[in-house]
Amino acid sequence: MATFQLELVSPERLLLARQVEMATIPAVEGEMGVLPGHSPMIVALRGGVIRVRENGAESERLFVAGGFAEVAPDRCTVLADEVTPVASLSRAEAERRLAEAEAAMAGITGEDPAERRDAALARVLSMRAMRDAAEAA
């Protein structure tokens, strides 16, 4: 089966770099499957799970809190804000972080710029996705 290079990079380090058959990434527009020969593009990521397929089966699931992905015919590079293997997610920790994000969003007054509200809402949605992924693990 054809493969492409998948690279997952966090602010701290390169987390994954290997040949895979397929990756499903949580693009802002919706779940996006990446296969060898994919059209080039750059997409924003929302909080969600990256699913990696190797040897005909799902081999890995990683939660990303957001970021960007650059897709090319022979590679996909994910630049993620935060990465956690789904198996390592804690529902309690996700609930705590969601509560913090919701409190921060509630604390924004109507006089604050829209960008702050948008960023706070994105964080709340990301933490909800983390909680949902922790529940499913």
Side-chain angles (χ1 to χ4, degrees):
M1 172 137 231
T3 63
F4 66 95
Q5 180 75 10
L6 176 63
E7 296 176 346
L8 183 57
V9 182
S10 76
E12 295 84 26
R13 62 188 169 96
L14 176 66
L15 300 167
L16 182 144
R18 66 176 181 255
Q19 294 291 315
V20 301
E21 294 170 358
M22 180 179 179
T24 304
I25 59 176
V28 169
E29 296 84 9
E31 296 291 311
M32 182 177 138
V34 179
L35 292 164
H38 198 288
S39 297
M41 62 180 58
I42 296 176
V43 296
L45 301 178
R46 60 179 166 72
V49 176
I50 294 177
R51 291 171 173 79
V52 180
R53 288 188 62 84
E54 298 173 280
N55 302 314
E58 186 172 278
S59 61
E60 200 157 4
R61 293 178 17 173
L62 304 155
F63 174 80
V64 292
F68 293 90
E70 179 185 12
V71 181
D74 61 344
R75 74 178 156 71
C76 175
T77 303
V78 175
L79 306 169
D81 299 335
E82 174 184 339
V83 181
T84 307
V86 170
S88 298
L89 291 176
S90 157
R91 179 172 165 75
E93 175 68 9
E95 288 285 356
R96 183 190 65 74
R97 291 180 63 184
L98 174 58
E100 286 177 359
E102 288 173 337
M105 189 166 123
I108 296 174
T109 66
E111 299 170 7
D112 288 67
E115 294 87 26
R116 284 191 59 205
R117 286 190 300 275
D118 290 347
L121 177 59
R123 188 72 182 153
V124 166
L125 294 175
S126 180
M127 292 303 100
R128 284 182 184 162
M130 176 187 266
R131 179 196 58 201
D132 295 345
E135 286 176 354

